[in-house]
Every structure is written in C-alpha cells, then in structure tokens.
Amino acid sequence: MDDWKEIFARLDPKDGAEDGRICKVTFLEWIDTLNFQDTVMLEVSQGISREKIRWLIEAADTDENKYIDREEFLALVDKHSRELEKIQRNNLLKYMRVAAYADEYRWWPPPFFIILLTLVQITIYIYHCVYFTELGVPITWTGPSPFCSVLIYNPQKRQQFWRFFTYSFVHSGVEHILVNIVLQLLVGLALEMSNSWWRVGLVYVLGVIAGSLATSVINPGTFLAGASGGVYAIACAHLAAILLNWKEDSLILRQRMRNKKVSSPTFGKVVSGIICVDAVTAISSSLSGEVNTTSYTAHVAGVAMGMLVGVVMLKNRRVQFWEQWLRAACCVLAGTFLLVMIVVNIFMEGIFLPMSEEDPACSQYA
C-alpha cells in the first residue's frame, strides 16, 4: 500500500494542481497515451488491458464529481485490485508507476538559458556579417571565419583563457550557425523544460570547455568556432537521462498552467540520429581524404562530457542503489578529465604553438 500512496502523491500535481485529487478525464488521457508506449505494452501485455484499467478508474469515482481523491484512489487499489490476478496487480502497479514518475515539461519559468544563448549567438553572427560586408568580404554558406575575433579559440592565444568558452559564440558561415542553432533549440528547449536551467547550463558550459581543452591538446594548431561541443553535450546528457529513467521517460507529461492535457511521448531517437550522422560524416571524410574543417575532437569531448555530467546533473526520478555509484564514478571521471586537460594546457608548453602577439592583419577585431 505504501507504493500506491507514493504513486498518488506523485500523480496529484500532474493534472495542473496539487490539491489532493486527480482529474478523472486527465487520468484517463494518461492511460490512453501510455497504451502507445512500447515499454509499457511489454509490461502489461501478459496481464491487463487498457479497457480494464479504464473501468477501474471510472469505478473509483464513487461520488461522481469527476475527480479521484486520495481515499478513492486507495479504495480502488484495495477493493478492485482484488478482482485481478496476481500478475495483473503487479502490472497495474507498473502501469501507474510509469505515469507517476514520468517527466514533465514546464512552460513556466520559460527555458531562458537556451533562448538567451541562441539570441547572443545570432547577435554576434549578425555583427560579424556586418563587419565582413563593410570590408567587402562576401558572406557565404561556409564562411568566412572570424579568425581575428577576440572570442574565437586561437591556439596561439591560449593565455586568453576566456577563449576556451567564448568560441561557442562564434560561427563560420550560414550553414554553421544554422545547424548549431537548430540542434541547440531542438534538444535544449525540451531538456530545459524538464530540468532546471542551471543544470542544462552547467552541462552545456562543461561540454564547450571540454571540447576546446581536448582540441588544444590533441590538435594543438586548430582554431575553434561554434557551439558543437555544448550542443553535443546536452544531446548526450539527454540520452544519459533517458537511460537512467528509461521506464519513466516512456511517457512525457506536459504540465500547463490551466488546461490539463498530456503531450505525445518524446524519445531520444532524434538525438541518436544526430550523433550517427556526425559519425558517418567523420568516417566518410577520413576515408575519402576530403578536406573537412569540422573539429570532431570537440564533438567527441562534448559527447563524453555530456554523458558523464548528464548522469550526475540531470534529474533521476527513481534513484536506485547502483545508480548512486554510477553517478559518483561519472563525477570522478569528468573531474579527472577536466583537471588533466587543464594541467596539460598550463604546464606542457612544448606541445603547443608558441604564443604570439596580435596578427598585423587583424588591425581591428571582428
């Protein structure tokens, strides 16, 4: 019975109001949505149908006020579940637990971190476009690159430490900024609506920094521009969260301020597709010898940091004992990686290009 009390407590606010009761219509909509989830279908295929669950919920509303309060819910469990076989009772518990621990998209407060970040990137790109246009340099699909910018990562100016992060504000060409922003919004908005802004922000920032630190060591002569490290970090953090909450994330409930509706399910298929396309492109370019300016080192570092930090920072709604050890291990690995990269950048000067004064060609900063 304690399991059922916990489930009711978590279901209560998911209809838009934490008032000790659940809207029956909303409850039935959850069941309809749950029925289309493969993981749930596997859990219930041997025991209980959707129609049976709907009948139980309808019967639970004894006062017919279109709401199911705590007493009615527990009475439903105590009385009507006796009519079910043991395997059916177990599957009913699983069915309700998925809805109870499903994540929520919260529209308030709005996902301002991703929105603000995107606006800053677009503003800086527009500034660079105006700058290059005034110099008579045409803006193309793939360029130009603002090599003289005080924001871009310049391997000969590593002492200007802000560049290890601010390169994520700079983009080279229409294609570069368009792809990064679309992916950033596609993954980041959904992630921020189901997690605190600071959690997503920390994953993003660490992904960006990991990308530049790894690139500076593995490809010491490479300039860096673009938000790919951060985008891949939040994308893979999303995958890490799905793996930890694979049962609960078979359904995403969208909580709204007034209307009480549920959304369609959200999956990690888009995120996986992005990573697969990037991997295929990298392998293809390597085999064909085609010149490619994409820094796959930054991408890989962002992927690794996103997976590690995502396990630690993003919400895990049902923490199991082994997951606590996993989170500790991921925290240690992420911290060790960043520490090693920072130490190498500070003390192993011999592997890097020599520091230089400002390039005479850069009479102004772009």
Side-chain angles (χ1 to χ4, degrees), residues 175-297:
E175 178 188 25
H176 194 201
I177 189 170
L178 185 62
V179 170
N180 274 344
I181 285 179
V182 168
L183 297 183
Q184 184 170 279
L185 292 174
L186 183 66
V187 180
L189 288 177
L191 200 60
E192 191 173 343
M193 284 193 290
S194 58
N195 289 269
S196 302
W197 68 269
W198 64 270
R199 295 176 185 270
V200 178
L202 183 59
V203 172
Y204 186 93
V205 169
L206 290 178
V208 169
I209 294 174
S212 57
L213 287 173
T215 300
S216 69
V217 173
I218 298 173
N219 308 112
T222 302
F223 279 76
L224 269 185
S228 299
V231 171
Y232 274 80
I234 58 175
C236 290
H238 191 122
L239 290 180
I242 289 175
L243 291 175
L244 287 180
N245 300 290
W246 67 274
K247 287 186 178 180
E248 292 75 30
D249 276 340
S250 61
L251 171 68
I252 301 292
L253 299 179
R254 179 184 299 164
Q255 178 179 330
R256 296 179 177 177
M257 293 294 290
R258 296 188 181 276
N259 58 353
K260 301 163 183 175
K261 297 182 179 179
V262 274
S263 69
S264 299
T266 299
F267 301 94
K269 295 178 181 178
V270 173
V271 176
S272 302
I274 294 169
I275 297 172
C276 290
V277 169
D278 198 56
V280 170
T281 303
I283 295 172
S284 175
S285 299
S286 177
L287 294 177
S288 64
E290 178 184 350
V291 177
N292 193 325
T293 58
T294 302
S295 176
Y296 292 109
T297 301

Side-chain angles (χ1 to χ4, degrees), residues 135-192:
L135 293 179
V137 180
I139 306 301
T140 68
W141 187 249
T142 57
S145 298
F147 290 111
C148 296
S149 173
V150 293
L151 302 178
I152 197 170
Y153 173 76
N154 184 332
Q156 292 185 293
K157 298 183 183 300
R158 289 181 301 101
Q159 76 277 13
Q160 297 175 353
F161 59 88
W162 64 83
R163 293 176 182 264
F164 283 90
F165 173 70
T166 57
Y167 77 92
S168 61
F169 297 142
V170 179
H171 292 83
S172 303
V174 177
E175 178 188 25
H176 194 201
I177 189 170
L178 185 62
V179 170
N180 274 344
I181 285 179
V182 168
L183 297 183
Q184 184 170 279
L185 292 174
L186 183 66
V187 180
L189 288 177
L191 200 60
E192 191 173 343

